[in-house]
Amino acid sequence: MSGGRGAGSRNKRRQVSDEERAAAVEDYRESVARLQHTAYRNLRQWIAYATVFVAVIATWMLFIGQVTPASFPWYAVSVLSGAFGLATYFVREPRPRLYVLAVAVVLAVVGVTGMFLTD
């Protein structure tokens, strides 16, 4: 019933050297680092996509004439946030790209909040 395993085989482990163990730990750390890098890159891209989406909607509202003079500045701020969101793809250094993305998010939040408060 035990499938060919002897009694107490659960406690028997293959002996590995310290070098093999260190190599396995290093491989694991590299895998986790690659996963984290990919996850953060995907998160930054989706945040940039969201700011661009807000800008596209704001631009559409400008073109169809739904913008009042009181709400125009907020729509303009939203369009500017999309420009900063697109700029994140042209900035190559990680730290400035993060700053550009932060500016895009702040402008998008301010623009959308202003849109809702004036309408």
Side-chain angles (χ1 to χ4, degrees), residues 9-113:
S9 65
R10 193 177 300 163
N11 294 330
K12 294 180 185 177
R13 294 184 182 171
R14 183 175 74 91
Q15 297 296 322
V16 294
S17 67
D18 289 337
E19 294 85 20
E20 290 175 332
R21 186 178 307 261
V25 167
E26 187 60 31
D27 288 343
Y28 175 76
R29 286 184 181 157
E30 288 176 10
S31 296
V32 169
R34 280 193 310 268
L35 177 66
Q36 286 178 340
H37 176 74
T38 303
Y40 288 138
R41 185 184 67 221
N42 290 341
L43 177 66
R44 287 189 306 264
Q45 284 180 343
W46 278 105
I47 291 171
Y49 291 155
T51 60
V52 171
F53 178 74
V54 167
V56 167
I57 297 299
T59 305
W60 177 253
M61 296 297 281
L62 283 168
F63 280 126
I64 64 173
Q66 294 295 320
V67 179
T68 62
S71 64
F72 178 76
W74 306 113
Y75 283 90
V77 167
S78 297
V79 171
L80 187 61
S81 77
F84 274 96
L86 282 176
T88 61
Y89 293 103
F90 300 109
V91 178
R92 291 291 168 203
E93 295 298 318
R95 184 66 73 183
R97 182 176 39 214
L98 188 62
Y99 293 146
V100 170
L101 186 62
V103 169
V105 168
V106 168
L107 288 175
V109 168
V110 167
V112 170
T113 302

